[in-house]
Amino acid sequence: MNTILKDKTVLITGASAGIGAACAQVFAQSGAKLILTARREAKLKEVANSLKNEFSVDVLELALDVRDNEAVENLIKNLPEGFQDIDILINNAGLVIGVEKAHLTPQDDVNVMLDTNIKGVLNLIRAVVPQMVTRNHGHVINISSIAGHEAYPGGSIYCASKHAVDALTKSLRMDLVNTALRITAISPGLVDTEFSIVRFKGDLNKAKAVYQGLEALVAMDIAEAVLFAASRPAHVQIADMIIFPTQQAAATIVHRN
């Protein structure tokens, strides 16, 4: 067990599957108290119950759409005793929809991506960081993407949203440099999760093709990087971590067998 995280309170968005669920597992294994949020309440409860049974930790699971700022604020204001002082915020909720060119992307898809990937992250930051500043203690970890560092065709809106997360992360770190808070971005390349299933709107064949011919990262690879960043000594701040599978060199440069 990583004792530095024992009894710390960790809030994870998008925790019902993928990277969010993997983060929940590694932090539960480290003895942290968890606040898990996601839109899919049934799947979230499955994750929470599994962690409670396996690791005997305190887990609070709450349905939440991060796009709803009022719901975010109400959730934070009404946390029960023992969960109110959040030590680590992991902004993981995010998604990509479609591969259309920028001028052909449906407006609804644009709104969902921008509202989730940018406003959702900011909603949690605005709700949680003030209490961290008051206590002069806390760590914000934003799950970004290589798409926050590079652009690629067919990903214009998603890339724009993750570039915004990158800028927000950097600016927040500057805003809080006179505090003890730490601000981190984790920027994965190809990770085999539900990500591509959502991108291709449930087309499993197209989703599987993204990862064919190479050993992609898995959610646990990213969760372990998040855990590493969170468990550094107080004077160490991991600013950003770009993580690729070995057969990837850039957003659009991949070697396939």
Side-chain angles (χ1 to χ4, degrees):
M1 179 183 292
N2 194 326
T3 56
I4 198 170
L5 295 171
K6 182 171 172 53
D7 296 326
K8 298 292 186 184
T9 301
V10 183
L11 192 163
I12 305 171
T13 66
S16 61
I19 293 171
C23 285
Q25 181 177 334
V26 297
F27 279 90
Q29 195 169 9
S30 297
K33 294 187 293 184
L34 300 178
I35 305 168
L36 305 182
T37 75
R39 290 178 299 164
R40 297 180 292 182
E41 191 169 7
K43 291 199 72 172
L44 187 65
K45 285 187 178 297
E46 288 180 15
V47 172
N49 289 336
S50 174
L51 297 175
K52 291 174 188 175
N53 292 334
E54 184 173 358
F55 301 110
S56 299
V57 292
D58 294 329
V59 182
L60 181 65
E61 67 274 14
L62 299 167
L64 177 69
D65 186 337
V66 297
R67 297 175 296 176
D68 186 340
N69 185 55
E70 184 176 355
V72 170
E73 291 182 346
N74 286 337
L75 182 147
I76 298 302
K77 288 177 183 175
N78 293 298
L79 288 172
E81 188 174 351
F83 288 93
Q84 294 170 353
D85 292 338
I86 296 167
D87 298 293
I88 301 169
L89 166 63
I90 302 174
N91 274 315
N92 169 71
L95 77 170
V96 61
I97 305 174
V99 290
E100 290 84 4
K101 296 180 179 181
H103 60 291
L104 300 175
T105 304
Q107 186 62 49
D108 286 347
D109 292 353
V110 172
N111 291 343
V112 171
M113 282 187 276
L114 296 185
D115 288 349
T116 304
N117 297 355
I118 305 173
K119 291 182 183 178
V121 170
L122 188 55
N123 288 342
L124 267 297
I125 286 172
R126 292 178 62 252
V128 174
V129 169
Q131 59 157 271
M132 290 181 170
V133 172
T134 298
R135 292 183 289 120
N136 198 32
H137 173 80
H139 194 169
V140 178
I141 301 176
N142 294 328
I143 306 301
S144 185
S145 169
I146 186 57
H149 298 268
E150 305 175 24
Y152 57 85
S156 56
I157 309 305
Y158 179 68
C159 290
S161 73
K162 289 301 186 178
H163 272 70
V165 171
D166 180 62
L168 179 57
T169 304
K170 290 174 178 173
S171 296
L172 183 62
R173 191 180 304 118
M174 295 174 189
D175 289 340
L176 299 173
V177 71
N178 64 333
T179 74
L181 274 67
R182 301 185 293 183
I183 312 298
T184 297
I186 304 292
S187 303
L190 286 170
V191 187
D192 190 352
T193 63
E194 295 179 351
F195 180 85
S196 289
I197 298 174
V198 175
R199 164 166 253 166
F200 292 108
K201 302 180 180 180
D203 189 322
L204 296 179
N205 290 327
K206 287 183 178 179
K208 288 178 181 177
V210 173
Y211 310 109
Q212 284 179 347
L214 79 155
E215 185 176 356
L217 300 169
V218 296
M220 189 56 67
D221 295 322
I222 307 307
E224 288 173 348
V226 173
L227 184 72
F228 175 83
S231 59
R232 294 309 88 203
H235 71 285
V236 178
Q237 177 174 220
I238 305 296
D240 195 356
M241 208 185 290
I242 298 176
I243 308 169
F244 287 143
T246 302
Q247 290 172 253
Q248 183 176 16
T252 58
I253 300 176
V254 176
H255 174 70
R256 301 182 189 272
N257 298 324

